[in-house]
Amino acid sequence: MISNLRFVIGILAIYLLPTFAQAQYQTINVDYERTYFNEGQKLPSESLLLFTGEIQRNIDLVEITIFPANKLETASSIYGVSWYRPINQQTEKYSVPVNYRLKGNNQYDISIAHFTKLSRNESQKLSDNITQGLDAYIDQVVLVESKRIKLSYRPSKIREQLDEIAKQGSYYMRSDAGRSFPGFSDIILESLKRIDGLRHDRLQSDSSPEELIDALKKQVASELSQLFTGDMLILTEQRNFVNYPTDSQPNTLSINVGYAGVIRNFSNNTVDYATAPYAGLSFPLAGQLSESAFLRNSALSVGVFLTNLTFSEGVERTGPLVGRPTYVGYGYSFLRYFRAQAGVAFLESTDADSSLGNFSQVSIQPF
């Protein structure tokens, strides 16, 4: 029994050590000018990655964005990560972890963008340009007629268009705090609703349609200015690594060890069973990046019991061909290193001879 226990511990050690090693990051050297990684090698699949590259001292932000192949301009990204230059550091290298495991034998579009900080004057100028565009749109859709103020579209539609103008105007900009423009608030929407269809004779004596429109413009400009609080960065260069391949992962086999019981028969409300340690191989039904958790954790197993099985009344059973009971089963993993398993065992009496293909005395029992 002690020797069997040592065998199981040794098998577990062999199995677990490579698993711990897989948790480490694999370094990816970025060649920005030639748009490839690791001297043109395929990207490692099913691994955590550490992208490293060289940058100029004026680059304060590096963005890495991953898309499905051929979807760089048409689909949402599947992963993105940013590196910000540490304060008061003039390093010319960056390292950023990518905690996304790429699928094997696949292709991806990867965009790497460099940003640099704007001066206060440059940031204010861009803000003013966006504000001018917003004001021009308001002038187009808010019409002053002879008796009332009229909106060309629904207030909700106008707010959507204002959001789009602001987002398009700031598309190539980033905030040093990682902020993005959230869209104009309900205050803007309510202001649009209030002036929609408002008759001139309902205005206060000291106000005019033009003053209401100017107040709306100031509200819009005030909310936009929140985006420009703090330092702003602007895109200076971008490289797209299109249809970049990943390596192929070999089909993995895991060593399967444990302790199981085999049922021989049921009689008189009793169960005749025997137990023994076993060892074998498991064949996963899907890779670790499969979208189905059930398939990721499922495997078919084959193996051999390490000792013969002794049932009640001293009945001993071995197995065909290898001189030990063998099994085939289905297993489901849980808690990462443990697997619940069920299947069938192939048994044979100890005095049978199946060496020449005579399996007439082989029985199949559940385990």
Side-chain angles (χ1 to χ4, degrees):
M1 185 65 184
I2 294 177
S3 61
N4 288 335
L5 182 59
R6 289 175 177 172
F7 174 79
V8 171
I9 292 174
I11 293 298
L12 281 173
I14 294 172
Y15 174 63
L16 294 179
L17 285 176
T19 304
F20 292 138
Q22 289 178 0
Q24 297 178 354
Y25 287 88
Q26 295 199 41
T27 300
I28 305 301
N29 295 309
V30 178
D31 191 321
Y32 200 66
E33 297 302 322
R34 292 184 285 183
T35 60
Y36 61 55
F37 306 108
N38 288 352
E39 298 296 329
Q41 299 297 311
K42 294 180 179 180
L43 286 172
S45 60
E46 301 188 15
S47 300
L48 300 177
L49 306 177
L50 183 68
F51 278 66
T52 65
E54 296 182 354
I55 51 173
Q56 298 177 356
R57 292 187 177 183
N58 67 322
I59 300 302
D60 297 287
L61 168 63
V62 177
E63 280 188 352
I64 299 175
T65 313
I66 301 175
F67 298 85
N70 298 311
K71 298 293 180 63
L72 189 65
E73 302 295 337
T74 60
S76 300
S77 63
I78 55 179
Y79 184 81
V81 65
S82 299
W83 173 89
Y84 287 89
R85 179 180 293 280
I87 297 175
N88 298 326
Q89 288 193 16
Q90 297 299 314
T91 179
E92 296 182 349
K93 291 185 178 181
Y94 68 89
S95 293
V96 57
V98 173
N99 296 317
Y100 181 84
R101 298 178 189 269
L102 304 175
K103 294 181 179 180
N105 196 28
N106 215 320
Q107 292 182 330
Y108 294 88
D109 289 349
I110 301 176
S111 173
I112 301 181
H114 292 174
F115 294 78
T116 189
K117 283 184 181 180
L118 293 171
S119 67
R120 291 292 183 182
N121 289 337
E122 291 171 331
S123 179
Q124 185 61 51
K125 184 176 180 179
L126 284 173
S127 177
D128 292 343
N129 289 340
I130 298 173
T131 300
Q132 290 175 8
L134 294 168
D135 289 349
Y137 177 74
I138 291 173
D139 288 335
Q140 289 179 0
V141 297
V142 181
L143 307 177
V144 178
E145 296 183 339
S146 59
K147 294 184 178 181
R148 71 181 67 197
I149 301 173
K150 179 182 178 181
L151 301 184
S152 299
Y153 306 104
R154 300 187 315 273
S156 59
K157 179 66 175 179
I158 293 176
R159 183 174 66 166
E160 290 177 6
Q161 292 298 319
L162 291 172
D163 288 345
E164 187 64 22
I165 292 170
K167 290 177 180 178
Q168 288 296 325
S170 59
Y171 182 79
Y172 296 106
M173 294 188 299
R174 302 291 186 271
S175 164
D176 65 342
R179 296 186 306 273
S180 59
F181 184 66
F184 290 104
S185 70
D186 289 343
I187 295 176
I188 302 299
L189 180 62
E190 292 302 320
S191 296
L192 290 167
K193 290 180 178 179
R194 274 199 307 272
I195 65 175
D196 186 20
L198 182 63
R199 295 176 59 88
H200 296 175
D201 56 11
R202 296 290 182 88
L203 295 174
Q204 296 181 3
S205 59
D206 58 346
S207 64
S208 66
E210 290 75 17
E211 289 175 335
L212 290 178
I213 295 173
D214 286 340
L216 173 64
K217 291 178 178 178
K218 289 179 180 178
Q219 284 181 319
V220 168
S222 176
E223 293 194 8
L224 177 69
S225 66
Q226 297 176 14
L227 175 64
F228 290 86
T229 302
D231 291 328
M232 298 298 296
L233 305 101
I234 192 167
L235 178 68
T236 57
E237 196 172 19
Q238 179 174 325
R239 293 284 189 273
N240 297 325
F241 301 69
V242 179
N243 293 336
Y244 207 91
T246 60
D247 61 13
S248 300
Q249 285 288 332
N251 293 327
T252 57
L253 299 179
S254 59
I255 296 175
N256 183 26
V257 294
Y259 204 82
V262 178
I263 299 174
R264 182 164 171 254
N265 59 52
F266 298 89
S267 62
N268 299 324
N269 295 324
T270 63
V271 179
D272 185 10
Y273 70 95
T275 60
Y278 65 82
L281 296 175
S282 292
F283 303 81
L285 296 185
Q288 288 303 306
L289 298 184
S290 170
E291 295 181 358
S292 170
F294 176 78
L295 291 178
R296 284 200 309 270
N297 294 321
S298 297
L300 297 178
S301 301
V302 296
V304 60
F305 287 88
L306 303 181
T307 64
N308 287 338
L309 295 167
T310 303
F311 295 91
S312 62
E313 300 179 356
V315 175
E316 185 176 353
R317 290 292 182 263
T318 182
L321 297 180
V322 297
R324 287 288 186 271
T326 55
Y327 69 87
V328 175
Y330 164 80
Y332 190 83
S333 297
F334 62 98
L335 298 179
R336 190 175 179 88
Y337 300 117
F338 299 93
R339 175 178 286 119
Q341 193 157 252
V344 294
F346 300 90
L347 308 182
E348 187 179 50
S349 63
T350 54
D351 58 356
D353 180 12
S354 61
S355 60
L356 297 178
N358 178 20
F359 298 109
S360 60
Q361 300 188 51
V362 174
S363 63
I364 301 176
Q365 307 297 140
F367 88 98

